[in-house]
Amino acid sequence: MNFISKGKEDVSYDAIVVGTGISGGWAAKELTEKGLNTLVLDRGRDVKHGEYPTANMESWDFPRGGRLPYEEMKHYEKQSRTGYTINEFYKHWWIKDTDQPYEEVKPFDWIRGYHVGGRSLMWGRQSYRLSDLDFTANAKDGVAVDWPIRYKDIAPWYDYVESHIGVSGKNEGLSQLPDGKFLPPMEFTCVEQDIADHIKNKYSDRIMTIGRVANLSVPHNGRGQCQNRNRCQRGCPFGAYFSSQASTLPDAEKSRNMTLVPNAIVTEIIFDDKTQKATGVRVKNSETLEEKQYFARIIFMNASCLGSTQILMQSKSERFPNGMGNDSGELGHNIMDHHFQLGARGRSENYRDKYYKGRRPNGIYVPRFRNLDKSTKMKDFIRGYGYQGGSGRPGIGHEVAEAQYGAKFKNQLAVLGDWNFNFSGFGEILPYHENHVKLNAEVKDKWGMPTLIMDAEIKANEKAMREDMKQQAAEMCERAGLKDVSTFENRYAIGLGIHEMGTARMGRDPKTSVLNQWNQIHAVKNVFVTDGACMTSAGCQNPSLTYMALTARAVDYAVQALNNNEL
Amino acid sequence: MNRREALKTSSLILGYSITAGTAAAVLSGCNADPSLDWTPNNFSTKQAFMVAELSEMIIPQTETPGAKEAMVDRFIDAIIDCYPPAERQKFLAQLDAFDLRIIEDHGKTFNKCTLKEKIAIMDEISSDSASEDHEFFMKLREWAVVGYCTSEAGATQHLAWDPFPGAPFQGCIDFSEVGKRWAL
Ligand SMILES: Cc1cc2nc3c(=O)[nH]c(=O)nc-3n(C[C@H](O)[C@H](O)[C@H](O)COP(=O)(O)OP(=O)(O)OC[C@H]3O[C@@H](n4cnc5c(N)ncnc54)[C@H](O)[C@@H]3O)c2cc1C
Ligand code: SF4
């Protein structure tokens, strides 16, 4: 099909959304529900709710218990760096690094899945609000640029998003981690309750709460209740955790205003010099390689932080020789993530006669307690971190078992060891201009698209914070009475937190930022970027809830502006 | 101690449940290898039978299924594919070296050894870290355990199995309500 012969009307819409992941699904829902005829594009294949091939398979239904053969694993050298993403249970949700390479000046882990729904299918669902501690942080510390918004601007949108997606959690009344609209919290295990009690008694500056997670502890908005199978990353037949498939895309479909086109790689945003606006997007079909253009009055970029950044960089014009909206030179810079892979663990000698029922898809959370105010100010680092983690109850382990083989050995396999527990820190990374990605015109991906070169690392502030993260985790384990307490630290490179953000940041000044307070490109007002690229600072909270809230907020603004003929 | 007594005592010690059929086969010394009812990817037929027998010694049938019923031999044949070729070859070579040594020492293959002989061999390779077959044993056992615990027979019969726990998650129940370790 060629748009020229069909006439421009056939490929013209009110709005185009690029990407159908966590943020794109929200853009699609909001735009269509507000009555805009919306084209929703995703570079990956279509996946309908329920099309989760492994959701009801058991470990024995997979050869090798789910592990991939060595030869096949070679396609996933980077995607497998998490240690948990590439196996037979969910390998179909991840790209092959051999199809889509990128270059690492310094180690960088870009963990991604390209299909309708994006990483909303595989995410960990931990959902925390940012607070004014975060929105004012850059201004207070004199770091990078100030956020152009404050908590009060986003708070109603957090309410709106949480009420829709369903987040199970507990209000704790903390200023650094605002309360929300939660479904009933999930239960602690005995050991977790015990540790939470100890922390409450022994510390005045911190608490331990149950994780706030986008799983439905009760039925919600027509979606089923979580059955505690902890198989979310395979896709949930009950729609019991938030994904685009279970929630936002069906809503958009219901509105009858959505045209969803999968296999559509957006290569470029088309810029019109006369109007100084974007007129549409260029698309390459991933199957046929056929190229096509689509037109719309507004464009929402939700191809993920680096996906959207890559498209903007490729959108070169006379007006924007260095990529669309890049007057500031900040496009592709200031990349952030959350640094983690460290903490402490220990063993409990209590509750040997207790156990649990169900595989809770959630853990514990210790909200940030560093640098909240004068009394919690740290000498050697700014910002802070939170802990995730939880308890488990493994078998006794045959290393310590008395029999090495035979019936006794076999019986030991069913015998429980002590409860264990861990705190695993997630820390804030500052926006450093030097931490950047750029286009690599030399190396193309399987579809002939330029790839990225990554050049980013954590620095002194993060490294100092990491020492404190380990030390405090161990101290809390000790004070909670755990035995054999030890710290751990594993390899971390930027990206491994899978919270890439910041490469087209919001700000007040077009000279130092790419987007304004409504996520509009300063100089191209009808293009909105509402995925992680927009983040001005990272906080230490898992970010996707914020992307959703910012997206709903930006759509609300965009539709009003459209109606007022301001776009 | 005659053969029958040896069988009886060792089955008591190690808890091997000797069914009438297997006991008769061992006692009569009938050792005809049936042909494999599956096609290995990596093992020769001989290796496959040996791995099945070794796995069953590690995880014998008791009141719950053993390694053979759980098809741990197939699992191990498949799991080898997850390792680089050199490691794969090393394991297969270790398996052959073990086989050769047993034939040298006993004049017959491991599978054809008596239960008593097998127990002596297993004692040595499992507990004596100086044994040249210890490394091989540890690897085999690791795989046998994973294969068994993720097999249908192992997970659903030997461990506690609850495919649809339902809501809500209960974080603190009496262990006696479950009685053994959850499979997942
Ligand atoms: C294992 C895992 C655990 C996680 N845990 C959490 C957590 O607990 N809490 C949390 O907040 N976050 C978590 N995240 C991060 C979360 O998944 C991301 O922040 C979120 O998905 C980002 O949403 P997005 O809309 O920006 O991008 P994505 O969800 O990645 O979607 C981007 C979409 O854009 C499409 N696309 C890309 N390029 C193009 C193009 N050129 N043309 C057309 N379409 C394109 C892709 O196919 C994809 O569908 C986790 C991620 C992973 C992988
Ligand atoms: S744990 Fe809950 S949300 Fe996750 S897959 Fe199971 S039922 Fe669905």
Side-chain angles (χ1 to χ4, degrees):
Chain A
M1 194 176 19
N2 186 323
F3 78 93
I4 295 162
S5 61
K6 289 215 66 175
K8 202 170 161 178
E9 320 72 74
D10 291 323
V11 286
S12 289
Y13 297 83
D14 295 331
I16 290 173
V17 177
V18 182
T20 58
I22 290 187
S23 66
W26 265 95
K29 164 182 153 54
E30 294 298 299
L31 288 163
T32 55
E33 287 184 345
K34 288 181 192 292
L36 269 63
N37 181 18
T38 305
L39 174 70
V40 179
L41 301 169
D42 201 287
R43 66 174 299 157
R45 68 187 184 280
D46 197 11
V47 175
K48 295 261 185 291
H49 181 46
E51 287 178 358
Y52 312 130
T54 59
N56 287 316
M57 289 170 72
E58 303 302 340
S59 50
W60 53 87
D61 295 324
F62 301 94
R64 304 170 299 273
R67 289 167 196 74
L68 252 58
Y70 177 78
E71 306 301 330
E72 192 180 347
M73 205 68 179
K74 286 182 182 164
H75 290 292
Y76 300 97
E77 189 269 311
K78 293 167 179 168
Q79 301 307 303
S80 61
R81 289 178 187 173
T82 59
Y84 58 84
T85 38
I86 302 301
N87 50 43
E88 301 282 359
F89 314 138
Y90 8 85
K91 71 172 184 208
H92 42 283
W93 299 143
W94 308 97
I95 61 121
K96 286 187 174 157
D97 294 309
T98 40
D99 289 344
Q100 273 152 299
Y102 63 86
E103 203 172 293
E104 302 167 81
V105 176
K106 303 187 181 93
F108 191 105
D109 302 340
W110 188 12
I111 313 296
R112 52 197 165 134
Y114 290 162
H115 45 259
V116 168
R119 289 176 294 186
S120 78
L121 283 174
M122 309 87 95
W123 72 311
R125 310 163 310 281
Q126 293 291 309
S127 299
Y128 301 98
R129 296 183 178 204
L130 299 187
S131 75
D132 267 335
L133 182 68
D134 306 301
F135 289 115
T136 60
N138 282 0
K140 275 191 190 151
D141 297 331
V143 164
V145 299
D146 187 16
W147 277 90
I149 59 169
R150 290 294 180 259
Y151 182 66
K152 66 172 172 25
D153 299 307
I154 194 175
W157 298 102
Y158 277 135
D159 287 353
Y160 177 65
V161 165
E162 283 167 352
S163 302
H164 188 77
I165 68 174
V167 177
S168 150
K170 188 160 174 268
N171 284 326
E172 300 283 3
L174 303 173
S175 68
Q176 74 275 32
L177 190 76
D179 288 345
K181 303 275 180 214
F182 298 135
L183 306 180
M186 295 179 184
E187 211 174 278
F188 277 145
T189 63
C190 336
V191 170
E192 290 163 354
Q193 185 62 58
D194 193 41
I195 292 169
D197 292 344
H198 273 89
I199 290 176
K200 197 170 171 189
N201 295 335
K202 306 222 158 135
Y203 291 91
S204 55
D205 63 349
R206 71 195 73 171
I207 62 151
M208 176 170 133
T209 186
I210 187 72
R212 297 176 180 175
V213 71
N215 289 63
L216 304 182
S217 51
V218 292
H220 184 69
N221 281 344
R223 291 161 43 212
Q225 182 177 25
C226 175
Q227 301 299 308
N228 291 294
R229 307 175 77 203
N230 198 15
R231 285 197 175 162
C232 313
Q233 291 195 15
R234 301 186 191 186
C236 180
F238 313 101
Y241 72 89
F242 170 80
S243 64
S244 302
Q245 268 80 359
S247 172
T248 46
L249 292 178
D251 290 337
E253 194 142 316
K254 243 177 269 155
S255 74
R256 295 163 170 266
N257 288 322
M258 175 170 74
T259 306
L260 177 67
V261 179
N263 301 319
I265 306 174
V266 173
T267 57
E268 202 180 315
I269 304 173
I270 307 163
F271 182 73
D272 179 16
D273 235 6
K274 279 205 282 303
T275 57
Q276 293 289 301
K277 279 188 207 164
T279 54
V281 295
R282 267 193 199 94
V283 166
K284 191 180 228 175
N285 185 293
S286 64
E287 311 261 271
T288 63
L289 302 185
E290 184 193 13
E291 299 194 23
K292 205 164 161 174
Q293 303 180 51
Y294 293 102
F295 302 96
R297 296 164 69 197
I298 54 172
I299 297 168
F300 267 74
M301 295 303 294
N302 300 97
S304 81
C305 170
L306 294 179
S308 292
T309 300
Q310 198 171 10
I311 296 168
L312 290 172
M313 287 175 155
Q314 280 162 198
S315 305
K316 289 180 182 155
S317 56
E318 224 167 285
R319 169 68 183 81
F320 296 112
N322 299 316
M324 179 173 282
N326 195 15
D327 292 338
S328 62
E330 295 296 339
L331 183 66
H333 289 262
N334 311 299
I335 183 146
M336 297 168 280
D337 181 31
H338 292 128
H339 64 95
F340 74 123
Q341 291 279 75
L342 77 181
R345 53 170 78 97
R347 180 173 63 80
S348 169
E349 287 178 348
N350 301 324
Y351 306 104
R352 284 188 169 140
D353 58 341
K354 296 291 178 190
Y355 208 19
Y356 57 83
K357 180 173 161 46
R359 296 182 290 282
R360 185 187 64 194
N362 189 19
I364 60 92
Y365 194 67
V366 176
R368 175 173 158 187
F369 51 90
R370 293 304 199 200
N371 294 319
L372 304 180
D373 52 25
K374 275 211 184 89
S375 71
T376 53
K377 193 161 166 39
M378 300 301 292
K379 269 203 256 4
D380 51 354
F381 65 89
I382 59 171
R383 313 292 166 97
Y385 56 85
Y387 290 108
Q388 299 182 21
S391 66
R393 190 138 194 223
I396 47 173
H398 29 278
E399 299 78 22
V400 300
E402 37 178 327
Q404 295 301 310
Y405 72 96
K408 234 184 186 170
F409 173 79
K410 177 191 178 186
N411 286 339
Q412 286 159 358
L413 298 177
V415 175
L416 286 179
D418 284 339
W419 291 87
N420 62 23
F421 181 87
N422 76 84
F423 287 116
S424 191
F426 281 76
E428 179 159 357
I429 295 179
L430 296 174
Y432 301 104
H433 178 81
E434 324 71 276
N435 277 350
H436 72 280
V437 303
K438 63 179 182 204
L439 281 186
N440 187 351
E442 318 277 286
V443 180
K444 303 273 168 69
D445 73 6
K446 189 179 163 189
W447 295 271
M449 304 299 301
T451 54
L452 288 178
I453 300 174
M454 323 297 207
D455 187 352
E457 63 186 344
I458 57 169
K459 296 178 194 273
N461 196 64
E462 292 78 23
K463 286 177 186 162
M465 190 188 295
R466 286 174 82 74
E467 289 310 310
D468 193 51
M469 288 159 88
K470 278 187 287 188
Q471 193 268 326
Q472 285 299 300
E475 186 190 282
M476 286 193 290
C477 287
E478 297 281 1
R479 290 198 189 172
L482 295 177
K483 311 284 179 218
D484 302 335
V485 173
S486 61
T487 60
F488 62 89
E489 178 162 10
N490 300 316
R491 171 193 174 276
Y492 170 78
I494 290 196
L496 193 61
I498 327 186
H499 296 163
E500 332 80 68
M501 58 173 104
T503 44
R505 70 182 174 202
M506 293 166 78
R508 300 170 189 274
D509 185 349
K511 288 197 207 71
T512 55
S513 59
V514 180
L515 308 172
N516 70 9
Q517 76 272 33
W518 301 110
N519 295 73
Q520 286 170 293
I521 294 184
H522 286 296
V524 193
K525 289 278 191 290
N526 67 337
V527 177
F528 294 78
V529 183
T530 69
D531 54 29
C534 75
M535 300 289 280
T536 313
S537 73
C540 60
Q541 302 90 318
N542 307 58
S544 305
L545 183 74
T546 299
Y547 306 166
M548 296 190 238
L550 287 173
T551 301
R553 178 177 176 270
V555 170
D556 187 63
Y557 172 82
V559 173
Q560 277 180 39
L562 259 189
N563 292 340
N564 297 339
N565 279 324
E566 288 163 16
L567 287 182
Chain B
M1 193 160 46
N2 67 30
R3 218 170 172 188
R4 186 175 293 273
E5 269 171 1
L7 244 183
K8 242 173 43 198
T9 43
S10 58
S11 74
L12 279 180
I13 295 165
L14 293 166
Y16 295 100
S17 76
I18 309 283
T19 60
T22 48
V26 175
L27 291 169
S28 68
C30 158
N31 287 308
D33 274 350
S35 63
L36 270 187
D37 56 359
W38 59 287
T39 313
N41 216 358
N42 291 297
F43 294 153
S44 65
T45 303
K46 187 181 187 195
Q47 287 170 329
F49 275 116
M50 195 158 54
V51 166
E53 196 61 29
L54 281 160
S55 307
E56 186 72 15
M57 289 301 290
I58 295 170
I59 304 173
Q61 186 189 337
T62 54
E63 65 283 3
T64 61
K68 279 185 185 168
E69 191 181 333
M71 299 192 275
V72 163
D73 47 353
R74 297 176 202 208
F75 176 86
I76 297 176
D77 178 64
I79 198 83
I80 294 178
D81 286 334
C82 302
Y83 293 83
E87 252 177 86
R88 242 176 273 172
Q89 289 317 318
K90 182 177 170 193
F91 180 74
L92 294 176
Q94 284 176 325
L95 197 50
D96 287 341
F98 171 75
D99 181 40
L100 270 181
R101 190 170 73 83
I102 299 303
I103 292 172
E104 251 167 47
D105 290 359
H106 298 269
K108 54 192 167 186
T109 63
F110 181 75
N111 286 30
K112 289 183 179 164
C113 285
T114 64
L115 186 53
K116 196 178 167 192
E117 287 164 339
K118 284 178 186 162
I119 288 168
I121 295 166
M122 293 301 287
D123 281 344
E124 185 213 311
I125 66 175
S126 67
S127 304
D128 180 1
S129 57
S131 160
E132 49 193 305
D133 296 311
H134 184 64
E135 185 192 321
F136 153 73
F137 168 82
M138 294 303 279
K139 180 144 277 183
L140 181 83
R141 186 176 76 175
E142 180 193 321
W143 290 339
V145 166
V146 174
Y148 182 73
C149 292
T150 58
S151 72
E152 182 163 16
T156 66
Q157 296 182 55
H158 190 63
L159 303 174
W161 173 245
D162 190 2
F164 284 93
F169 166 79
Q170 292 167 274
C172 199
I173 62 170
D174 283 335
F175 174 63
S176 56
E177 286 182 44
V178 185
K180 43 189 176 176
R181 185 162 76 85
W182 290 118
L184 299 169

